[in-house]
């Protein structure tokens, strides 16, 4: 059974552990690099701040008692828009429904916030992530997101939420 836990700033050690694993196992999927969050970047204050973004909600997915995934919802740059960020599922939990569970958790959070749109950015070529998001009704917007370390640009996807 997959369980969602909402993380607060005091849960930073759990978030840190998964975030570092995500950056190590799937460096192609993130704009940040593992090195950015190690050494001088590996500070309790920074981890707490990441979990304390005003208006955000950070989810940890637990499968059979073990943390295996994470995703966050944060306010977007426009009114009525929220963003799904930092999505990751550990290799050993892929294919178990964890990604579906995390996307549904963030979308439900967005609905509760009365958001109109959930948007996200995905790295080009990340076909598993693209398929997951498409299954949940996300569509490519044609917009480009941030530039990645290798010079490519993220693709922005969005899902319009039903009113009510």
């Amino acid at each position: 059974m997959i369980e969602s836990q909402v993380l607060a700033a005091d849960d930073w050690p759990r978030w840190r552990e998964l975030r570092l694993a995500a950056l190590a196992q799937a460096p192609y999927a993130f704009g940040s690099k593992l090195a950015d969050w190690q050494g001088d970047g590996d500070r309790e204050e920074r981890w707490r701040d990441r979990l304390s973004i005003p208006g955000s909600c950070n989810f940890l997915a637990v499968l059979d008692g073990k943390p295996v995934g994470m995703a966050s919802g944060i306010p977007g740059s426009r009114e009525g828009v929220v963003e799904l960020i930092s999505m990751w599922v550990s290799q050993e939990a892929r294919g178990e429904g964890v990604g579906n569970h995390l996307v549904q958790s963030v979308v439900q959070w967005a609905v509760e916030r009365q958001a109109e749109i959930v948007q996200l950015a995905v790295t080009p070529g990340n076909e598993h992530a693209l398929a997951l998001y498409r299954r949940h009704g996300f569509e490519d917007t044609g917009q480009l997101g941030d530039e990645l370390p290798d010079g490519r640009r993220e693709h922005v996807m969005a899902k319009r939420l039903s009113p009510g």
Side-chain angles (χ1 to χ4, degrees), residues 36-77:
D36 297 337
W37 288 87
Q38 293 179 317
D40 291 341
D42 189 2
R43 298 181 320 277
E44 178 180 341
E45 176 185 353
R46 186 174 185 205
W47 294 107
R48 285 180 174 277
D49 287 349
R50 171 57 185 81
L51 292 176
S52 301
I53 296 171
S56 70
C57 191
N58 304 284
F59 296 96
L60 182 75
V62 178
L63 178 64
D64 299 328
K66 181 180 178 190
V68 294
M70 61 184 184
S72 294
I74 64 169
S77 58

Side-chain angles (χ1 to χ4, degrees), residues 7 15 19 48-59 71-87 102-103 105-111 113-121 138 146 154 161:
L7 300 177
W15 179 263
R19 179 68 173 169
R48 285 180 174 277
D49 287 349
R50 171 57 185 81
L51 292 176
S52 301
I53 296 171
S56 70
C57 191
N58 304 284
F59 296 96
S72 294
I74 64 169
S77 58
R78 302 184 330 263
E79 184 71 27
V81 177
V82 297
E83 295 181 28
L84 186 159
I85 66 168
S86 301
M87 173 82 175
L102 286 165
V103 171
S105 295
V106 173
V107 168
Q108 182 58 41
W109 165 82
V111 167
R113 286 181 54 94
Q114 299 180 341
E116 298 169 18
I117 297 171
V118 179
Q119 76 178 32
L120 57 88
F138 286 85
D146 293 338
E154 294 174 314
L161 302 175

